[in-house]
Amino acid sequence: MRKFILFIFVFSFQFFPVHGQDTLATVTAEKGDGIYSLLRKHGVNPYEYYHEFVDINLDNLRDSVHLYEGRTYAIPKVPLDTIPVVDSIQRQAKEVKEVEAKTYDIFGEKHKTVLSKSERLKGAIYYLVSGHGGPDPGAMAVYAGKSISEDEYAYDITLRLAKELLAHGASVYIIIRDENDGIREERILEMDRDEVAYPDKVIPLNQRDRLQQRVDIVNGLYKQNKGAYQRLIVTHVDSRSVGQNIDVFFYHHEKSQNGKRLAESIHKTFEAKYKQYQPNRTYSGTFEDRTSLFLVKKTHPAMTFIEIGNIRNEKDQRRILDPDNRQALAKWISEGVILDFEER
């Protein structure tokens, strides 16, 4: 991990906008575009302006989150969004703002820089476990003639979640790790078997041994960080029958009030997002206790076990395979996590 300071210079301009003051720039969606990629392509930070984009284009989106190829979309106005004619003599630097940034190689070359957004999670410690990995790919399916597996998509979402939590000042342990994958923007994530368990332990072939290894790692770290606010988040992609479409849902330990509140906070966030962006669709995801699950039963930190969707269902595949959707899922989970921390 490397740390550096990014300096952002803010200038004062006198200019005449080329477009009218209330005119928004418009762009046409091309094949393969998602909201995040479209905004990035046109120089707009997708993490800051995603929701504004959806709000101004809501009537022109499929399921309130997907673009239609060939349709025109308005781009949110950002600072200096219009083209200015600048009087260079009157251009003056008003302030220099320091933005702290750190780099984490595990996120991959394109995503390794984490800019600080806030310190809302300062003092919080999170253990993130993505399902399966190593010799166990988890649930599998075929998409566009290629095999896809649960562990690759659960891991990608987990990395995106880790980056969001770090940006808000949390300490994060990524328990299942693949040093050469990073956050990926492809729909089909190539399968491999080289994941390890924190810090660099070989993942056992036997299922119970695999789960016990994760329990031992998390409980060891929990003991090491005794006295701190600590939470565990486990991410899986479900494998029910092919025809069964499911919403994101959450499990917790039946006797853990803190685990219940964490699951409820994320669930509440998802309900609010669906109501905002898909008002004509009922969100059917739930949160409930399921102590029979090994990691739920055996780990010490308060925790939630998240099922993202059904990798064998065509509708759920759209949610899981689209990199913009994976980013949105991670962002919504992180907002629920922040809600839980701030309301504790």
Side-chain angles (χ1 to χ4, degrees):
M1 182 190 78
R2 295 186 291 279
K3 178 178 178 180
F4 59 90
I5 300 294
L6 180 69
F7 292 92
I8 298 179
F9 293 86
V10 181
F11 296 99
S12 174
F13 294 89
Q14 283 192 348
F15 64 91
F16 301 96
V18 172
H19 300 289
Q21 192 69 20
D22 297 323
T23 302
L24 296 176
T26 58
V27 298
T28 300
E30 300 175 349
K31 185 176 182 179
D33 278 341
I35 295 176
Y36 281 88
S37 59
L38 185 75
L39 290 175
R40 274 194 297 265
K41 192 188 302 183
H42 293 88
V44 178
N45 186 330
Y47 307 113
E48 292 184 15
Y49 292 94
Y50 176 90
H51 299 308
E52 186 175 338
F53 177 91
V54 172
D55 287 341
I56 62 181
N57 293 284
L58 190 58
D59 294 336
N60 207 17
L61 297 170
R62 176 170 55 81
D63 294 333
S64 303
V65 292
H66 296 290
L67 304 176
Y68 287 100
E69 180 185 347
R71 290 195 184 179
T72 299
Y73 294 91
I75 298 294
K77 284 211 273 190
V78 298
L80 305 184
D81 187 45
T82 53
I83 302 174
V85 177
V86 181
D87 183 346
S88 60
I89 297 176
Q90 296 188 21
R91 177 173 169 171
Q92 299 175 353
K94 289 182 66 178
E95 63 176 304
V96 177
K97 182 180 180 181
E98 291 188 4
V99 178
E100 184 176 345
K102 298 179 182 179
T103 61
Y104 300 83
D105 291 338
I106 196 166
F107 296 137
E109 187 62 30
K110 292 181 180 179
H111 294 272
K112 67 181 180 181
T113 301
V114 179
L115 297 177
S116 175
K117 296 179 180 179
S118 76
E119 292 193 341
R120 296 173 70 183
L121 292 175
K122 185 176 181 180
I125 299 173
Y126 294 95
Y127 309 109
L128 305 185
V129 177
S130 55
H132 307 279
D136 175 23
M140 296 184 65
V142 175
Y143 179 84
K146 297 202 70 172
S147 294
I148 55 175
S149 63
E150 172 181 2
D151 65 327
E152 302 296 341
Y153 292 91
Y155 182 64
D156 190 75
I157 293 168
T158 295
L159 288 185
R160 293 170 187 270
L161 173 60
K163 189 171 181 178
E164 288 291 328
L165 300 180
L166 288 166
H168 290 287
S171 296
V172 178
Y173 292 86
I174 300 171
I175 304 302
I176 302 303
R177 311 168 64 83
D178 189 326
E179 299 295 339
N180 57 26
D181 271 352
I183 294 172
R184 290 175 280 178
E185 299 298 338
E186 297 81 19
R187 294 181 66 83
I188 296 178
L189 301 183
E190 295 292 335
M191 296 168 52
D192 59 32
R193 302 283 178 99
D194 60 350
E195 294 87 4
V196 297
Y198 179 88
D200 57 2
K201 298 178 180 178
V202 175
I203 298 174
L205 178 62
N206 178 270
Q207 181 185 17
R208 186 175 179 88
D209 290 344
R210 282 199 307 275
L211 296 175
Q212 188 63 54
Q213 180 187 61
R214 293 166 201 209
V215 168
D216 292 342
I217 292 169
V218 170
N219 288 349
L221 290 169
Y222 180 79
K223 183 178 180 181
Q224 178 182 310
N225 293 308
K226 186 177 180 180
Y229 175 97
Q230 305 179 61
R231 296 292 185 266
L232 166 63
I233 301 173
V234 180
T235 307
H236 276 253
V237 179
D238 199 70
S239 60
R240 303 182 182 204
S241 64
V242 174
Q244 190 168 6
N245 167 229
I246 64 171
D247 276 323
V248 180
F249 58 95
F250 313 90
Y251 295 136
H252 60 86
H253 194 290
E254 62 182 349
K255 294 182 179 179
S256 173
Q257 288 302 310
N258 288 333
K260 179 181 179 181
R261 191 183 63 207
L262 174 61
E264 187 174 10
S265 295
I266 305 173
H267 179 265
K268 187 187 302 182
T269 301
F270 272 70
E271 279 188 321
K273 297 298 184 183
Y274 270 73
K275 188 175 295 184
Q276 181 179 4
Y277 298 118
Q278 300 190 53
N280 297 321
R281 182 181 181 279
T282 301
Y283 174 62
S284 60
T286 61
F287 76 96
E288 58 191 67
D289 64 85
R290 193 172 174 186
T291 310
S292 59
L293 292 171
F294 196 90
L295 287 179
V296 176
K297 185 177 182 179
K298 299 288 187 179
T299 49
H300 294 163
M303 64 92 72
T304 185
F305 187 110
I306 304 176
E307 289 282 13
I308 296 298
N310 182 357
I311 199 169
R312 294 176 181 167
N313 177 271
E314 185 178 341
K315 289 183 178 179
D316 281 5
Q317 283 180 352
R318 287 204 296 266
R319 179 198 309 161
I320 299 162
L321 270 62
D322 187 328
D324 287 350
N325 285 353
R326 297 199 296 272
Q327 180 61 39
L329 287 166
K331 183 75 162 55
W332 292 2
I333 294 169
S334 74
E335 290 181 20
V337 168
I338 292 172
L339 175 66
D340 170 71
F341 182 67
E342 292 184 335
E343 293 189 350
R344 68 193 188 282

